[in-house]
Amino acid sequence: MSPSRGRTLAVAVLLAATLAGCNGQEQPDRSAPPAAGSRLADAAFEVGPPEIVMGPSTYVDSPLNAIQVGDTVRAYVGNVETVLLEGSGAADLEPTDRVVVGRGHDETDFDWCGSWLDAVEPDQQDPGLLRAWYHAEADCAYTANQTHKSIAYAESRDGGLTFTKPDYPDNQVVRSPNGGTAGHHTGRGAPSVVRRGGHFYLYYQDVRPDLSTVTAVARAPVSSGGVPGSWRNYTEGADGRGSWTADALGGPATALETTVPASSVSVHTPSDEVVLVRQHATSGGIVLQVSSDGIHFTTLPEPIVPYLAAQVRTDWGEVNQQQVIGYTSIVADDGAREWGGSFSLFHLYVFPGGTLRGERYLVRREVTVTEARADQPRSTIALTEYLDPDTGDTFGTSSPMLEEYDAGGVLGFLLGSPGADRRSLFECESAGGDRFVAAACGTGARTGRLVGYAFKEQQDGTVALARCVTDGGDRFTTTAEDCASRGSSQSELGFVYPPGV
């Protein structure tokens, strides 16, 4: 669901072991700072080329979540009803025509407007049972920016091919104490679950009576299966002490402090840190927030996928030359929410000029995580060469491209954030249709999407990025010396990291 459909995003995760081990009502004082020495604060993220997994499809309306069943990874996205993708791993998922769960049957049902399956976990005792939680909406008038959200329970006995709603309509697990408000998004919604120790922990977004949206968290014992009635909200007293006693079905919940609400959650196993991922134009792109205790979150200093706020739509329903990026999620290759040296980043994408209704795509990027050197940028993104087979035009970009273009190799890795020692590079297109990369596109050329950032001066480990031109006038980008014997050099664009380093 897009903002025009009013979906508040929610995330579920198990809190760090320090919380999971408390086994009582008291929790640490939130005024205490998070533990120092975060592993991910010292990490470098190398983001590979974008790949279109699905689309155009209206079903790309939720963060992708997945689970491994035997040798198959099954993944889910939805819009009103939820559909299945399958593959041997997260890297080769393909959409199917199978609907795994549908919406309610009557206008009075709490999920009449839709059931978005957002979290699936295997039962700890019964290998044939998958437990799941879905985002539900009712009282929807999307053209009037109105909907009311809650979270409900479902389960599967056929390996995740279909899900039922036990005890429906009494299968809600998280519900707001506040009713709907005409012309507004209200309620509590959208789960994404990770299991740790003896509990499930579920982060969700809670619309308050003043219509502001905050992130809250509930937990349930794994032994309970996370069924209705087992979830308790995290709340705090005036002294800052926390407890897990408030019923998630309408009880109070404390707002957690995050820079931006989360789209999805995962756990970095080497550091045992909780990771929230979300697109955030103000922060310069898709950002990660990390926490050692699952309560205090810190935004990492560089976005892993850069874009400019001026180049993304604030109203997803508008049709213009801005792009739409949303519903971000992190999934390990086996479908799990726990990862180490790499992960798959999934997100919704609408191309400039595309419509949200019919031109949504699901994009995947492979991200490699290493320990950063002190002088190393914390995020780099692949600049990939593409060929238009109809015109022979060769050009480079880091943004998604339709499958009608032939992807070549990675030319180099651009920087993911701006700086005084860096310059911005953009897609450009001349009046004659020639596409190229430049810091300034020039008179008569159209400026397109941000490609990334390049050093102005050479740094250790970097190579020159040049714009070259063929005898036929086609401008192209390369890090190869002598323009790879394809033409002559026009200008130096900056310095980037070569592939394979």
Side-chain angles (χ1 to χ4, degrees):
M1 278 128 335
S2 64
S4 61
R5 300 224 37 219
R7 182 181 188 191
T8 51
L9 300 171
V11 186
V13 69
L14 295 170
L15 296 179
T18 53
L19 290 183
C22 288
N23 197 30
Q25 304 306 327
E26 297 300 323
Q27 296 301 324
D29 184 343
R30 281 175 70 237
S31 64
S38 163
R39 167 71 188 276
L40 285 178
D42 300 323
F45 298 85
E46 184 182 88
V47 182
E51 306 166 359
I52 291 180
V53 177
M54 180 181 184
S57 172
T58 57
Y59 281 119
V60 186
D61 197 47
S62 61
L64 179 138
N65 72 100
I67 189 170
Q68 187 172 43
V69 180
D71 295 330
T72 301
V73 170
R74 295 198 166 115
Y76 308 94
V77 294
N79 188 352
V80 180
E81 56 191 16
T82 300
V83 295
L84 172 71
L85 297 86
E86 288 188 319
S88 61
D92 64 358
L93 288 171
E94 294 184 357
T96 74
D97 295 328
R98 180 182 288 272
V99 174
V100 300
V101 66
R103 69 178 189 175
H105 303 293
D106 188 88
E107 290 186 14
T108 61
D109 293 337
F110 70 86
D111 54 2
W112 163 247
C113 299
S115 300
W116 291 258
L117 191 74
D118 281 347
V120 184
E121 286 286 327
D123 184 77
Q124 65 171 355
Q125 300 293 336
D126 185 348
L129 174 61
L130 298 180
R131 300 188 182 275
W133 299 269
Y134 66 93
H135 170 95
E137 293 190 14
D139 191 26
C140 55
Y142 295 121
T143 57
N145 198 37
Q146 175 181 312
T147 192
H148 189 71
K149 298 165 281 275
S150 63
I151 300 169
Y153 174 78
E155 60 185 37
S156 175
R157 290 278 182 181
D158 60 5
L161 297 176
T162 59
F163 289 82
T164 60
K165 304 173 181 179
D167 300 320
Y168 184 83
D170 297 322
N171 60 321
Q172 286 177 297
V173 296
V174 176
R175 184 171 59 227
S176 175
N178 309 307
T181 301
H184 293 279
H185 312 161
T186 55
R188 295 170 169 171
S192 173
V193 176
V194 178
R195 182 172 71 188
R196 262 189 178 177
H199 287 89
F200 296 119
Y201 289 83
L202 182 148
Y203 287 79
Y204 60 90
Q205 290 190 12
D206 180 11
V207 181
R208 302 293 194 172
D210 65 359
L211 300 178
S212 63
T213 300
V214 301
T215 302
V217 61
R219 80 175 185 182
V222 171
S223 59
S224 73
V227 299
S230 64
W231 293 91
R232 297 293 180 267
N233 284 332
Y234 176 74
T235 58
E236 290 181 351
D239 60 358
R241 304 292 292 181
S243 65
W244 301 92
T245 56
D247 192 342
L249 288 168
T254 289
L256 301 183
E257 297 174 5
T258 57
T259 300
V260 57
S263 174
S264 184
V265 74
S266 61
V267 175
H268 178 239
T269 52
S271 65
D272 199 33
E273 290 174 302
V274 177
V275 182
L276 305 179
V277 60
R278 172 80 172 191
Q279 73 280 0
H280 189 223
T282 303
S283 298
I286 297 176
V287 297
L288 302 179
Q289 299 175 99
V290 302
S291 172
S292 60
D293 64 5
I295 295 292
H296 308 82
F297 286 89
T298 300
T299 302
L300 295 184
E302 299 183 17
I304 59 173
V305 175
Y307 58 81
L308 298 180
Q311 295 187 334
V312 292
R313 301 177 200 174
T314 54
D315 181 352
W316 287 10
E318 290 184 357
V319 180
N320 54 37
Q321 288 306 306
Q322 296 170 315
Q323 56 197 322
V324 176
I325 299 172
Y327 302 131
T328 54
S329 66
I330 286 175
V331 177
D333 188 60
D334 63 357
R337 291 300 179 119
E338 297 81 25
W339 48 274
S342 65
F343 59 82
S344 288
L345 172 69
F346 290 91
H347 64 84
L348 157 77
Y349 190 77
V350 178
F351 286 88
T355 65
L356 186 67
R357 174 63 59 183
E359 296 174 279
R360 308 178 191 209
Y361 293 85
L362 178 64
V363 170
R364 172 190 171 270
R365 302 172 188 258
E366 181 75 13
V367 181
T368 302
V369 185
T370 58
E371 186 172 352
R373 302 186 309 272
D375 61 345
Q376 182 181 358
R378 300 309 169 90
S379 71
T380 55
I381 188 166
L383 174 64
T384 303
E385 185 174 64
Y386 290 89
L387 170 69
D388 184 336
D390 293 331
T391 65
D393 183 29
T394 303
F395 58 97
T397 186
S398 62
S399 294
M401 293 299 301
L402 293 171
E403 293 180 346
E404 62 193 66
Y405 298 99
D406 297 334
V410 173
L411 299 171
F413 283 88
L414 298 161
L415 308 170
S417 63
D421 60 343
R422 307 172 186 187
R423 63 169 56 100
S424 306
L425 298 179
F426 296 91
E427 299 173 340
C428 303
E429 184 173 357
S430 71
D434 179 34
R435 282 165 288 191
F436 57 95
V437 173
C441 294
T443 304
R446 182 182 62 84
T447 300
R449 299 171 293 187
L450 175 73
V451 174
Y453 305 91
F455 285 118
K456 296 176 182 177
E457 304 291 338
Q458 187 160 21
Q459 309 291 319
D460 288 345
T462 64
V463 295
L465 181 69
R467 183 173 71 242
C468 302
V469 60
T470 67
D471 292 341
D474 177 30
R475 284 169 284 190
F476 64 95
T477 306
T478 183
T479 55
E481 294 183 0
D482 299 324
C483 294
S485 301
R486 291 164 52 191
S488 57
S489 178
Q490 270 196 328
S491 66
E492 188 178 86
L493 300 174
F495 296 87
V496 301
Y497 291 94
V501 175

